[in-house]
Amino acid sequence: MHGRPRKPSTPVDENASSLKANKLKSLQSQFLHNHHNKIYTEEALKINEKLIEANPEFMTAWNYRKLAFEDRIQALIDEELRVVENALRKNFKSYGAWHHRKWVVSKGNTSTEREIGLLNKFQQLDTRNFHAWNYRRSIAELKNIPDEKELKYTTDMIETNFSNYSAWHNRSVLLSHLMEKKVEGYLQKEIILKEEYEFVRNAVFTDPDDQSGWFYHLWLLDQTVKVDMPTLVSSWPPHGSDINQVTFPIILYFDEPVEGVSSHTVTVQTENDIFKNVTWNPLSTNKFKCAQAWMTHLSIPHEEVNSSKKVQVKVSSEMSDGIISLSGVTSSRPWSFGFTVSVCQNPQPAEGQNRRLSYADESFCTVDTNSNSAGLLTSYFESKTSDYEQSTSSKWKSEMIATEIDQYRDMLTWAESKKIGKLTLARLLTAYDAVMSTGAPDTANMEEVLQLYTELMKLDPAHNQYYMDEYSLALLKQVTSNKESLLKYCWQYKESTSSNITDSLCLRLNNLSLSRIGSFERLLWVQSLDLSHNELHSIEGLEALQLLSCLNLGHNKLSSFMALDPLRFLKSSLKVLDISYNEIGAHTIDTRRYLCSSPMSHTLDYDSKFEEFANGDANLVNFWDAYSIFGGLNLTQLDIVGNVAVDERFVLFLAKLLPGLEWLDGEELN
Amino acid sequence: MGELAGEKHAAYILKVEKKKDNLEAVIMEHLRINGAYWGLTTLDILSKLEAVDQETVISWIMSCQHSSGGFGGNEGHDPHLLYTLSAIQILALFNKIETLDIDKVSSYIASLQNEDGSFSGDIWGEIDTRFSYVAICSLALIKRLDKINVENAVKYIVSCKNLDGGFGCTPGAESHAGQIFCCIGALAITGSLHYVDKDLLGWWLCERQTKSGGLNGRPEKLPDVCYSWWVLSSLIIIDRVHWIDKEKLVKFILDCQDTENGGISDRPDDAVDVFHTYFGVAGLSLLEYPGLKAIDPAYALPVDVINRIFLH
């Protein structure tokens, strides 16, 4: 005790002091009694408060207050949980009720068993209640319930009733975590996948019409096939080729969209020089600078061309943390490819185009396999994936897929409902070819895949167009699978109108009922492409074909100008375009609107110059999309007749927009 | 195949608007502003928006605004993102967005974004990708997307992507057509659809079509007219709508009509409500049913309204 003066005590003092002492003693003993008996009533709290006021150093009194506080909180929590439980009984899908429970639980101590018990009850009542499943996941995280335990729960749920998509979903989430975090017992992907394939087989085979297992199986297949990092699968110029231009594009084509391609991560060099300041552009509409195809323009300096007839160019990537996929996986294996540039001494002068290019059969003749262009084609098939990247350890993959193929073939012999069996078999066969990267895809497999999709179109007519799209992709895979099959679709122009365009091959894929195009990695060499008389409503992916100068899309199902958005990327090469007899202007809904550059998706600023250009014409104001697409193209020949949107006014608008146009709908312009 | 009883549905909506005291109206009082958006947008698609007194509606909407800048579901109710979007959408229909104090509303919305890019529905912290959509759509309509961290918002949405290609309310949550619409819509508005595996999701979505022609919201569930919007708009945004049988879906929606009293229900012969009337008519618009104004699949407003906002 500090600061008290020393003085003798009087009897009055002593009396007052002993009264005080008695009062305090009584308070203290009452308090200790309450404390030991965990009594936290209002009255008890008042006693404690008086004690603290008199003697704030009485430690135990403060401890008691904390216990009382926690006790009151617990009472509040229990009350809230009771109210929520009652509300949930009335409506177990109420967002407000579940969130309140989550909020209350975050405020203090709650029993894990109690929450899990409640969840088990609700999940038995409705196995698909996603509110319950979400709450379960949040409790598991909060209370550190291990993933393995929750995985066992999904096993139990599925074994009770396999028709539980929610359980399969949670299983996929938990297994992914366990494999990703490299938890003990989950390190060998092959073993896990093998067990899971068997587990889901029960579900799918028991009732092939129940969708619960379908998507899980597809996920397993994707896990089996997928390569561990983004990979370069193709390029222009192809590895080992020889090209005869001084200025040309270089195209990098990856197996999935990537970010980070730049002069820091990709090196372009000749024997004597490294090209600095190479600008790589992603061939896609998003602002986030990621794309499956990247390109740059390269010009070999005159001195190098003149001094040596052949210039060796090498494109490579050594950096281990530059090129990244959308899911954050780095392409850490180095790759490279090389080609030579040899320019003939007297380049032919480019003639002015004064003849109209026609796609009629009579304009073509078969290909001279000794020509330059045929040579370039050959180098594509000689270079293959192995020159860029090689993924290892594919033996267990092909074996696993082969086992599944056998299982599904067998299933199709006894199952009444054939849809999922045929669809899965088609996907398995395609996957098998994908993991066998050593040679050309198996022709027998490809034929069977096409056959299966044809059967599925009849079996499941509601999804006819889905199977049609898959069929088209499979057909193009087949066509581009080797040189011989591709050459069947290649033609040469009989007469030349201009040395640039007609020396090249024309790839004619017309009249094939194609509803979708793909296999772009095998088509980067294409300069002239005929896709007329098909069922295309989208040309997505065509932007990778940077050499394209002639494109025929006549007689297809393109239903808006936005569908032509990929042509934006072909500004420097495209000269001849046919989009006649499509459905532009015939639809009120534009399904390409958000996949292309537009102000609505904040990927294109509205060009206010457009209004000036349209001259205030109320009808033309609707053609801002045509303006933004055609505005940059340097077409010499255009066919556009047979589209609802195209009337006289529009034709004038277009002619103004394309000053270099020489031919429009077959008529020569002056 | 039957026909769309457009006149009856318009009359039904106007009738519901006036009835405020029956049980149905009272039990839905807390979300009346959502109901107004569903009713008014349906009227606009049916080219009948002039039947409503614009001034009365707008003044009531503004009375739902809270001092924080957000809107409640009705006068005196607490503010929440869900009701704020409906308020903005209704003003857009009437071309009266300028009625708003744009800074105030956008600040309210932006204040609800969390560190990880997600959005809380209100100050009480419930997180759900529905709120990501609502925030992004609202701000885009009033041209203030720059007030939030768009990159983080997109990152959060992408973290809710599942292994079946779909999206749930929060990371790890099961794919559900309603959540998928919200995520796809938000990604579309922010030009971020390259994060979507369109083929994988497209297949999951097209398999929502049941034998009846109607669409369900998840595997092994019953079809419901409201999924004609959520599944359909998602399919249109990713350009995979040709993977379903459009004619069969049209027939299913038309079968859900009450052609005598007006209104559309979740399933044939069930009770009608404004919610399903809107989704049925909006779905038919997406299916290019004749005589209906086109609706934008991402902003859920008529295309002419969206063009007016973004093309000038």
Side-chain angles (χ1 to χ4, degrees):
Chain A
M1 300 257 227
H2 304 106
R4 286 187 310 135
R6 195 179 308 184
K7 58 177 187 176
S9 55
T10 65
V12 177
D13 292 335
E14 289 214 16
N15 214 25
S17 177
S18 87
L19 268 170
K20 234 187 179 175
N22 286 335
K23 248 193 184 155
L24 198 55
K25 196 154 179 173
S26 160
L27 215 53
Q28 279 175 193
S29 84
Q30 274 182 81
F31 158 71
L32 283 172
H33 171 259
N34 289 338
H35 176 54
H36 292 137
N37 289 292
K38 302 197 203 298
I39 297 171
Y40 305 115
T41 58
E42 246 185 86
E43 202 197 322
L45 281 164
K46 285 232 159 58
I47 289 171
N48 169 279
E49 194 177 344
K50 282 206 195 114
L51 173 56
I52 277 180
E53 244 176 291
N55 190 1
E57 288 303 294
F58 197 106
M59 278 305 291
T60 308
W62 286 114
N63 299 345
Y64 169 87
R65 281 210 85 79
K66 290 181 181 60
L67 288 166
F69 181 87
E70 285 186 344
D71 181 75
R72 281 183 294 177
I73 293 280
Q74 199 55 51
L76 281 172
I77 287 177
D78 288 340
E79 174 68 4
E80 293 305 299
L81 291 180
R82 185 190 65 79
V83 170
V84 169
E85 204 172 318
N86 276 344
L88 285 175
R89 267 184 234 287
K90 186 136 193 259
N91 173 9
F92 51 74
K93 297 185 186 179
S94 162
Y95 283 99
W98 286 104
H99 179 245
H100 190 74
R101 197 172 187 95
K102 191 172 171 183
W103 184 87
V104 167
V105 161
S106 74
K107 296 296 173 191
N109 276 328
T110 44
S111 143
T112 310
E113 290 77 46
R114 180 184 175 165
E115 295 311 293
I116 295 292
L118 183 84
L119 279 167
N120 287 344
K121 247 194 299 180
F122 276 110
Q123 287 180 283
Q124 251 173 337
L125 278 172
D126 176 8
T127 57
R128 302 295 304 282
N129 184 343
F130 66 81
H131 297 272
W133 280 99
N134 289 350
Y135 186 71
R136 192 185 185 97
R137 274 180 284 265
S138 69
I139 290 291
E141 194 181 328
L142 189 70
K143 307 283 188 182
N144 291 314
I145 300 177
D147 284 344
E148 291 100 313
K149 192 153 182 219
E150 284 298 289
L151 188 69
K152 172 91 185 24
Y153 178 73
T154 68
T155 311
D156 294 339
M157 292 289 274
I158 290 167
E159 279 173 355
T160 309
N161 178 5
F162 75 82
S163 180
N164 190 339
Y165 191 92
S166 310
W168 286 107
H169 162 77
N170 210 32
R171 196 176 178 80
S172 72
V173 172
L174 294 162
L175 269 177
S176 300
H177 282 173
L178 289 163
M179 291 198 284
E180 232 172 277
K181 291 186 293 193
K182 301 203 192 302
V183 170
E184 191 65 53
Y186 294 90
L187 294 166
Q188 277 205 286
K189 204 179 184 185
E190 304 136 52
I191 299 178
I192 299 173
L193 287 175
K194 187 158 185 282
E195 285 172 8
E196 295 303 305
Y197 272 123
E198 274 181 47
F199 196 40
V200 80
R201 199 174 303 141
N202 287 331
V204 178
F205 284 17
T206 308
D207 182 358
D209 282 329
D210 188 305
Q211 300 190 357
S212 307
W214 293 7
F215 304 89
Y216 194 78
H217 187 271
L218 190 58
W219 173 63
L220 293 177
L221 187 57
D222 179 66
Q223 288 293 298
T224 311
V225 171
K226 78 171 190 184
V227 181
D228 54 350
M229 64 179 70
T231 309
L232 184 75
V233 296
S234 175
S235 71
W236 174 267
H239 178 72
S241 61
D242 180 74
I243 60 173
N244 57 9
Q245 289 157 306
V246 169
T247 302
F248 51 90
I250 301 184
I251 309 170
L252 301 176
Y253 200 93
F254 296 87
D255 61 346
E256 57 173 312
V258 293
E259 300 171 290
V261 174
S262 72
S263 52
H264 297 294
T265 52
V266 178
T267 311
V268 184
Q269 60 195 138
T270 60
E271 287 157 323
N272 307 316
D273 231 331
I274 293 186
F275 290 86
K276 305 180 188 50
N277 304 323
V278 173
T279 315
W280 289 97
N281 295 309
L283 296 173
S284 77
T285 57
N286 66 74
K287 316 169 288 187
F288 298 91
K289 295 208 159 285
C290 63
Q292 213 172 337
W294 288 75
M295 74 89 90
T296 187
H297 278 291
L298 199 69
S299 275
I300 308 285
H302 284 297
E303 319 84 65
E304 283 212 57
V305 169
N306 290 333
S307 62
S308 46
K309 287 274 171 60
K310 274 186 191 280
V311 179
Q312 301 270 26
V313 182
K314 180 173 158 191
V315 183
S316 59
S317 176
E318 313 287 334
M319 291 276 294
S320 62
D321 58 353
I323 299 172
I324 312 179
S325 75
L326 283 181
S327 45
V329 179
T330 321
S331 175
S332 54
R333 274 193 295 266
W335 50 261
S336 73
F337 62 94
F339 53 93
T340 54
V341 177
S342 49
V343 187
C344 44
Q345 293 292 54
N346 301 311
Q348 285 185 346
E351 290 167 31
Q353 169 125 343
N354 44 22
R355 273 236 206 76
R356 183 172 175 269
L357 198 75
S358 161
Y359 287 92
D361 287 340
E362 312 82 65
S363 314
F364 295 101
C365 59
T366 48
V367 170
D368 169 13
T369 44
N370 294 320
S371 70
N372 252 353
S373 358
L376 278 172
L377 196 67
T378 308
S379 53
Y380 252 105
F381 293 99
E382 278 159 13
S383 74
K384 285 172 286 178
T385 321
S386 51
D387 290 321
Y388 302 100
E389 283 292 346
Q390 180 62 289
S391 63
T392 49
S393 71
S394 54
K395 189 151 184 274
W396 70 263
K397 297 185 180 195
S398 51
E399 281 174 0
M400 195 162 288
I401 297 175
T403 309
E404 283 301 293
I405 289 175
D406 287 338
Q407 290 282 343
Y408 275 82
R409 274 201 211 288
D410 183 63
M411 184 247 217
L412 283 170
T413 61
W414 51 258
E416 257 190 64
S417 171
K418 310 255 187 227
K419 169 178 160 174
I420 196 59
K422 292 195 187 224
L423 182 56
T424 307
L425 184 56
R427 289 171 171 162
L428 286 165
L429 291 167
T430 308
Y432 189 83
D433 283 344
V435 299
M436 302 294 283
S437 58
T438 48
D442 187 292
T443 30
N445 276 354
M446 288 194 294
E447 273 305 321
E448 193 178 351
V449 168
L450 291 171
Q451 179 59 30
L452 285 164
Y453 283 121
T454 310
E455 287 164 19
L456 281 162
M457 283 184 241
K458 295 195 203 83
L459 198 59
D460 181 16
H463 297 114
N464 171 57
Q465 293 293 311
Y466 170 70
Y467 303 123
M468 197 64 233
D469 278 4
E470 291 293 292
Y471 181 96
S472 302
L473 291 177
L475 182 62
L476 282 174
K477 268 206 191 101
Q478 192 186 48
V479 165
T480 59
S481 58
N482 59 60
K483 193 177 83 181
E484 289 68 42
S485 63
L486 192 53
L487 276 173
K488 281 192 214 134
Y489 295 87
C490 292
W491 298 78
Q492 206 134 15
Y493 287 98
K494 275 188 198 154
E495 294 170 14
S496 60
T497 54
S498 146
S499 61
N500 297 323
I501 291 176
T502 49
D503 266 358
S504 55
L505 300 179
C506 181
L507 180 62
R508 301 186 69 206
L509 298 171
N510 49 329
N511 293 88
L512 291 174
S513 301
L514 291 173
S515 62
R516 189 172 166 176
I517 43 177
S519 299
F520 300 105
E521 68 278 10
R522 294 203 177 270
L523 298 173
L524 299 178
W525 55 274
V526 176
Q527 291 177 262
S528 182
L529 181 60
D530 184 353
L531 284 165
S532 63
H533 295 275
N534 278 302
E535 314 281 319
L536 300 174
H537 75 275
S538 159
I539 52 171
E540 193 172 316
L542 216 53
E543 62 271 8
L545 275 50
Q546 289 290 302
L547 299 175
L548 209 55
S549 63
C550 303
L551 179 60
N552 187 353
L553 292 166
H555 296 271
N556 272 287
K557 296 212 180 321
L558 301 171
S559 53
S560 67
F561 286 114
M562 285 280 97
L564 301 172
D565 196 70
L567 301 183
R568 240 186 249 279
F569 297 91
L570 305 177
K571 283 188 189 341
S572 44
S573 58
L574 197 64
K575 295 275 173 280
V576 175
L577 177 66
D578 186 337
I579 50 171
S580 60
Y581 300 99
N582 273 279
E583 298 176 8
I584 302 177
H587 292 271
T588 48
I589 300 289
D590 181 359
T591 61
R592 300 297 307 168
R593 195 178 234 213
Y594 287 99
L595 296 171
C596 303
S597 320
S598 90
M600 290 74 177
S601 60
H602 302 86
T603 47
L604 184 74
D605 288 325
Y606 180 65
D607 191 350
S608 46
K609 278 188 286 178
F610 165 66
E611 259 152 48
E612 208 187 291
F613 189 87
N615 237 351
D617 185 330
N619 287 330
L620 288 180
V621 162
N622 291 326
F623 293 123
W624 63 274
D625 44 359
Y627 175 81
S628 73
I629 300 217
F630 287 102
L633 293 180
N634 297 313
L635 299 176
T636 54
Q637 178 178 322
L638 176 65
D639 284 76
I640 202 162
V641 68
N643 286 290
V644 171
V646 176
D647 56 11
E648 268 178 42
R649 200 187 279 110
F650 183 77
V651 165
L652 286 171
F653 168 83
L654 212 53
K656 201 166 131 200
L657 200 53
L658 299 167
L661 201 60
E662 292 168 18
W663 292 91
L664 180 62
D665 286 328
E667 304 264 306
E668 193 167 4
L669 299 173
N670 25 1
Chain B
M1 167 152 45
E3 265 187 32
L4 179 66
E7 301 274 347
K8 297 269 180 162
H9 301 317
Y12 165 73
I13 289 170
L14 293 168
K15 189 176 68 171
V16 165
E17 193 223 351
K18 293 186 176 46
K19 279 212 237 150
K20 293 186 197 170
D21 301 316
N22 61 7
L23 183 61
E24 195 193 330
V26 173
I27 214 167
M28 298 291 182
E29 216 178 80
H30 64 282
L31 50 69
R32 192 173 168 83
I33 211 173
N34 289 153
Y37 157 73
W38 296 323
L40 294 168
T41 311
T42 309
L43 288 175
D44 199 6
I45 296 175
L46 294 166
S47 300
K48 298 235 186 314
L49 192 58
E50 337 80 52
V52 165
D53 179 22
Q54 196 183 245
E55 304 251 324
T56 316
V57 174
I58 292 180
S59 107
W60 166 70
I61 292 202
M62 295 313 291
S63 75
C64 297
Q65 190 171 27
H66 187 258
S67 55
S68 61
F71 286 76
N74 208 331
E75 228 177 306
H77 288 235
D78 285 350
H80 193 284
L81 278 183
L82 291 172
Y83 308 120
T84 307
L85 174 62
S86 289
I88 293 174
Q89 285 172 316
I90 293 170
L91 291 171
L93 281 176
F94 291 128
N95 196 11
K96 286 282 192 290
I97 286 188
E98 72 265 13
T99 314
L100 288 169
D101 178 342
I102 302 279
D103 283 332
K104 199 154 181 228
V105 181
S106 55
S107 296
Y108 169 76
I109 298 170
S111 73
L112 291 166
Q113 184 171 32
N114 303 306
E115 288 269 333
D116 63 358
S118 67
F119 283 85
S120 301
D122 62 12
I123 55 173
W124 297 104
E126 185 188 357
I127 293 177
D128 188 315
T129 46
R130 286 178 294 150
F131 309 142
S132 301
Y133 169 72
V134 162
I136 286 170
C137 185
S138 299
L139 289 172
L141 287 171
I142 59 179
K143 310 270 185 105
R144 283 287 200 282
L145 257 185
D146 56 320
K147 286 207 94 162
I148 55 165
N149 186 329
V150 174
E151 204 182 316
N152 280 0
V154 167
K155 239 188 234 161
Y156 180 77
I157 292 170
V158 172
S159 76
C160 298
K161 187 166 57 160
N162 292 319
L163 302 162
D164 52 19
F167 293 80
C169 348
T170 44
E174 187 184 338
S175 300
H176 179 281
Q179 306 295 143
I180 290 172
F181 161 72
C182 290
C183 292
I184 296 295
L187 293 175
I189 293 172
T190 54
S192 313
L193 286 171
H194 51 285
Y195 286 104
V196 179
D197 185 336
K198 301 191 280 290
D199 289 333
L200 184 60
L201 177 59
W203 186 57
W204 190 94
L205 288 169
C206 82
E207 283 294 343
R208 296 307 106 239
Q209 186 158 41
T210 61
K211 288 205 165 61
S212 65
L215 307 176
N216 62 24
R218 302 187 271 164
E220 302 307 306
K221 292 237 137 198
L222 294 173
D224 183 328
V225 151
C226 64
Y227 294 114
S228 309
W229 170 263
W230 286 316
V231 173
L232 199 55
S233 56
S234 304
L235 280 170
I236 286 186
I237 290 172
I238 61 171
D239 191 19
R240 296 291 187 272
V241 68
H242 55 292
W243 286 357
I244 58 162
D245 185 331
K246 296 202 259 184
E247 267 186 48
K248 271 184 113 182
L249 180 57
V250 168
K251 181 172 185 305
F252 176 82
I253 299 174
L254 294 174
D255 281 347
C256 294
Q257 299 180 98
D258 180 341
T259 48
E260 272 192 51
N261 305 309
I264 299 179
S265 57
D266 59 348
R267 246 158 257 135
D269 303 321
D270 270 359
V272 305
D273 57 48
V274 177
F275 177 83
H276 289 96
T277 305
Y278 164 69
F279 288 118
V281 172
L284 288 172
S285 165
L286 289 179
L287 293 164
E288 301 190 74
Y289 190 87
L292 298 177
K293 264 200 190 177
I295 190 168
D296 180 283
Y299 291 91
L301 285 169
V303 170
D304 59 0
V305 171
I306 298 305
N307 285 350
R308 188 171 64 208
I309 294 175
F310 290 100
L311 297 179
H312 291 291

